[in-house]
Amino acid sequence: MLLGFTLGAAVGAVLGLTGAGGGVLAVPALVLGLGLSLPEAAPIALVAVGGAAAMGCIAGLRRGLVRYRAAALMAAVGALCAPLGMWLAHHLPVRVLIVAFCAVMVVIAVRMLRQAGAAGRAADDAHAEHNCMINRLTGRFRWNLRCSATLAGIGATAGLFTGMLGVGGGFLIVPAFRQFSDLTMQASAATSLAVIALVSSATVAGSLAAGASLAPSAWAFIAGTAGGMFAGRLTAARLPWQWLQRIFAWTVLAVAAALFARHFV
């Protein structure tokens, strides 16, 4: 129980600090730390990450950081695509899922390292044209077909991975916001948490309806994740974002290597 709580707290802290990555670390933590299989770990990770994300989302809403219309669109499309991911998870061999998971982790880590090393991003964003642009007078997106299609595509991809691998999708959403919109880092993280909470809730409901259940150790992990999220959100504003990205990226690479080694070496 204590190990589950500790692992959950670490995952929640990452989610709170970055607005992303909690899910991609939750599944390996459950597999490597508690000895669960990937199908067993996925619903637990979704409950833990989804609940913690909801806490962060509420805080973001209070501060006016969440782009709730964008989050609603992405979550709706993601919830529609998540069942396809769940179907794939039940019909693909576990080793294939592990390889896919490790590949996703490596892509995430490399992307985050590149972003952390990019100089002058904030200055470039002031003049760059993105698919989704914020109206500086209202603080909301300027909605058009290109922006709607971009957000729907991000939501669909996040939902597919949520259903297939039991991850919240924040590892895709935050980098995608940074790539295709001019949202600030804080708004990107807060909106990502809203999408994670909504899509995870829908996917968990589907898993429970299909007969999934949670053991006592799973609830300890979930409680730890909630506590870690709270601590991470309090600390995030005090730490340099690039520093956090680098630490998270190297952690993801190390976890991916350990997960791959456990199943193939």
Side-chain angles (χ1 to χ4, degrees), residues 22-38:
V24 83
L25 291 179
V27 171
L30 291 164
V31 171
L32 297 174
L34 299 184
L36 302 180
S37 68
L38 191 94

Side-chain angles (χ1 to χ4, degrees), residues 140 157 164 176 183 190:
R140 300 175 180 176
T157 306
M164 185 168 66
L183 276 182

Side-chain angles (χ1 to χ4, degrees), residues 149-199:
T150 298
L151 295 176
I154 297 170
T157 306
L160 183 67
F161 277 103
T162 296
M164 185 168 66
L165 301 177
V167 297
F171 65 89
L172 289 168
I173 297 167
V174 172
F177 271 139
R178 301 296 287 158
Q179 179 71 31
F180 297 111
S181 80
D182 58 344
L183 276 182
T184 64
M185 194 64 247
Q186 292 80 5
S188 297
T191 306
S192 169
L193 291 175
V195 179
I196 292 169
L198 292 170
V199 175

Side-chain angles (χ1 to χ4, degrees), residues 142-158:
R142 298 171 182 167
W143 286 93
N144 53 43
L145 181 59
R146 184 172 68 165
C147 181
S148 299
T150 298
L151 295 176
I154 297 170
T157 306

Side-chain angles (χ1 to χ4, degrees), residues 44 96 98 115 124-125 152 158 165 189 213 215 223 225 238-239 243 251:
I44 298 171
V96 173
I98 292 293
Q115 287 181 342
D124 291 342
D125 279 352
L165 301 177
S213 60
T225 305
R238 304 175 184 177
L239 298 176
W243 184 73
T251 301

Side-chain angles (χ1 to χ4, degrees), residues 64-78:
L65 293 173
V66 178
R67 301 301 91 206
Y68 55 87
R69 292 180 183 175
L73 171 62
M74 296 166 69
V77 177

